[in-house]
Amino acid sequence: MEQQVRRYPVGIQTFSRIIREGYVYVDKTDLVWQLAHFTTFVFLSRPRRFGKSLLTSTLDAYWRGEKDLFQGLKMMDLETTWAQYPVIHLDLSIVKGKTDADDLQRGLLWLLTNMDGYEPEELQETPGEILNGMINRLYKRTGKQVVVIIDEYDAPLLDVLHKPEALDGMRAVMQEFYLPLKFNEPLIKFCFITGITKFSQLSIFSTLNNLTNVTLDPRFSAICGITEEELASTLKQDVESLAGVYGITPDEMHRRLKTRYDGYHFSENSPEVYNPFSLLKAFLRRKVANYWFESGTPTFLIRQLQHFHTDITALDRLEVPASSFDQPTENMHDALPLLYQTGYLTIKDYDPEGELYTLSIPNQEVRIGYTEGLLPAFTGLNSGDVQAGFALRFWRALKEGDIDLALRHMQAYLAGLPYVEGFKKKLQEAATAEGFYEYTFYLIFSMLNVYVRTQVKVAQGRADVVVFMSDAIYVFELKVVGSAEMALSQINARGYADPYRTDGRRVVKVGVKINKETRTIEDWAVEA
């Protein structure tokens, strides 16, 4: 008998359609039930394409009492009454891209007045007044409290984060819009708000000071995304099928998928979570590739990184308190909160004694997309140019352990590297070009899917660049003033390579002399 073709819900965010049309569904309904009964006003943020809209659609179906959709799912072991409530479900992504307060208000009015159940009434001229009227009318009509679900709540504001004059006016529109949620608290059974970023309750939700943020709550850390257990059970046959395409074992395919798409943690005790969009698209396309960045790096993120003059080489393996990344977007003093909230960094470790979180790039897909998206913005280079003209030769030399050949390729490549205007002032102040080349090394190695860190702390100083290959670790010291031999001596004298002696991989120390005039590698010294 021919095996039934599995259908993957890529781009489909409606729970009822996934169930009724037989798409693959990873059962999260037990967590949905727990969330629905956790407290009345709930806020959750997750990165884009992580299933937030599917979560809101599932909550919608549950509160409407659509029991037939949940047959065979975990929800059936938990829910006993299946009461039906009126639901107001808003997706604010429809008003994304508005440029000022008036434009946003018109967009919200259009959204609300085109909803089922809208009835024009006197004294309802603003979005908040209309929402208030809808809540009261539904309550009076049904005699039941109202459920309010708002998806992509921050979509109208993301594109103006860097424009305070526009942000202030649009934020005032959103304040007025959300005001009825507080005033009508006795009429509301459940209110769920989700998006990417975290705006403060004071600035967006005004008097809605009873909103509970479960973004970092371990109980809901796996409510969006796919866990190891779910991959090994619900998606087991999909891993096996994809392994067959590649002619490898299911275990090897599991390792490839884990390296590419896993690694997210949304609390200190979170299981590792796979990016659901990329994983399901890999099954659909029958190809392991980078899918999360198909729509490109968000413009608002690039603008914020540039606004804060972010040193992107210093973002991997940061030890910070929760207040450094779980803070309101409009109160940011650097881009770290936005990088975490958008999924470019995730929690990798937690020190309960010091209450410090270690943040890192989640996985291979993000590392490659991160650098491909940022390379043009920070160096003026096109990632395709890097890969087509240089990467393959450089990669092969490294894989063969020929560091001399690899550096000759790097030397030729850097000779044509543009000296980007955005760095000039910073580099002049530092009186050295080493910072620029640390940046460049970081981006190039990252684009090649090689794990690289810069300014790595050891007991007696900081190594400029450390590159982690599967069979070797390269410790680089860069010198503009001084020789390659001096750089190599510094590696030895300060013990930059000592932490890796027991790693099991070859440790290669490389001193590099950079010529400030030609802006490329002049000489190098290697010690293995």
Side-chain angles (χ1 to χ4, degrees), residues 207-506:
T207 56
L208 193 61
N209 55 8
N210 56 345
L211 194 64
T212 300
N213 183 2
V214 298
T215 299
L216 288 174
D217 193 313
R219 287 167 288 189
F220 303 109
S221 57
I223 200 167
C224 293
I226 295 170
T227 66
E228 282 283 359
E229 189 277 329
E230 291 162 342
L231 185 68
S233 55
T234 306
L235 302 175
K236 179 181 179 181
Q237 70 183 88
D238 307 289
V239 176
E240 293 172 346
S241 177
L242 191 56
V245 173
Y246 280 80
I248 59 178
T249 66
D251 286 345
E252 174 58 29
M253 177 51 65
H254 188 159
R255 284 191 290 272
R256 290 192 188 185
L257 294 172
K258 183 176 182 64
T259 299
R260 186 71 66 118
Y261 307 127
D262 195 18
Y264 292 91
H265 298 82
F266 295 112
S267 73
E268 64 269 24
N269 295 315
S270 168
E272 285 202 323
V273 176
Y274 288 75
N275 181 317
F277 174 84
S278 297
L279 187 62
L280 292 176
K281 190 147 191 181
F283 293 145
L284 175 68
R285 297 282 299 275
R286 298 174 71 80
K287 181 180 180 181
V288 179
N290 302 317
Y291 298 113
W292 196 47
F293 295 89
E294 286 182 335
S295 58
T297 303
T299 302
F300 69 85
L301 177 61
I302 292 289
R303 287 172 176 165
Q304 290 301 105
L305 290 171
Q306 293 173 328
H307 172 74
F308 288 113
H309 306 290
T310 305
D311 180 0
I312 60 175
T313 68
L315 294 176
D316 217 352
R317 298 206 64 80
L318 294 171
E319 283 192 321
V320 293
S323 58
S324 292
F325 64 93
D326 184 38
Q327 63 174 268
T329 307
E330 71 275 36
N331 293 346
M332 293 188 305
H333 301 294
D334 55 49
L336 184 59
L338 203 55
L339 284 163
Y340 172 77
Q341 292 162 13
T342 54
Y344 287 78
L345 294 176
T346 194
I347 297 168
K348 287 295 185 181
D349 199 6
Y350 178 67
D351 175 10
E353 185 174 351
E355 297 185 346
L356 292 176
Y357 292 81
T358 299
L359 303 185
S360 289
I361 296 173
N363 53 43
Q364 183 185 98
E365 180 183 45
V366 176
R367 187 173 298 280
I368 293 173
Y370 176 73
T371 49
E372 286 186 350
L374 298 179
L375 194 71
F378 280 82
T379 69
L381 292 172
N382 181 283
S383 59
D385 295 338
V386 175
Q387 292 177 328
F390 159 69
L392 184 58
R393 295 190 299 274
F394 182 77
W395 171 256
R396 282 176 175 168
L398 278 181
K399 288 293 287 182
E400 293 168 2
D402 192 340
I403 186 65
D404 287 309
L405 179 58
L407 288 173
R408 285 199 296 273
H409 290 317
M410 178 77 82
Q411 182 182 48
Y413 175 71
L414 291 180
L417 191 68
Y419 202 60
V420 180
E421 290 294 327
F423 288 115
K424 285 186 175 179
K425 182 177 179 181
K426 177 181 175 182
L427 298 181
Q428 287 169 354
E429 290 173 352
T432 173
E434 290 171 12
F436 176 78
Y437 287 97
E438 286 178 17
Y439 241 81
T440 304
F441 271 52
Y442 175 86
L443 288 168
I444 289 173
F445 278 113
S446 293
M447 280 190 58
L448 294 171
N449 190 30
V450 176
Y451 179 45
V452 57
R453 295 176 61 195
T454 64
Q455 290 296 304
V456 182
K457 294 179 181 179
V458 297
Q460 299 185 63
R462 297 171 185 255
D464 284 341
V465 181
V466 180
V467 177
F468 300 84
M469 300 285 290
S470 60
D471 61 345
I473 297 174
Y474 294 91
V475 181
F476 288 87
E477 181 66 24
L478 312 180
K479 288 292 183 186
V480 171
V481 178
S483 66
E485 288 73 18
M486 289 176 61
L488 182 59
S489 296
Q490 182 172 322
I491 294 174
N492 288 322
R494 299 188 181 180
Y496 292 162
D498 291 351
Y500 316 109
R501 291 300 179 191
T502 60
D503 181 271
R505 287 174 280 187
R506 289 186 303 114

Side-chain angles (χ1 to χ4, degrees), residues 6 14 27 63 122 138 178 180 185 202 217 225 247 272-273 288 293 317 334 348 457 484 522:
R6 298 265 280 179
T14 307
D27 190 356
W63 285 113
E122 293 182 7
L138 285 170
Y178 287 119
E185 181 267 328
L202 177 64
D217 193 313
E272 285 202 323
V273 176
V288 179
F293 295 89
R317 298 206 64 80
D334 55 49
K348 287 295 185 181
K457 294 179 181 179
E522 178 180 299

Side-chain angles (χ1 to χ4, degrees), residues 64 87-91 94-95 98 105-120 124 127 130-131 134 137 177:
R64 291 183 191 274
V87 177
I88 298 173
H89 186 176
L90 299 168
D91 180 358
I94 201 169
V95 292
K98 304 303 180 182
Q105 186 167 50
R106 284 191 295 271
L108 289 172
L109 290 171
W110 181 89
L111 172 64
L112 291 165
T113 56
N114 281 277
M115 290 187 63
D116 290 339
Y118 165 72
E119 296 177 8
Q124 290 187 9
I130 293 175
L131 180 59
M134 292 176 71
R137 188 162 49 250
F177 173 65

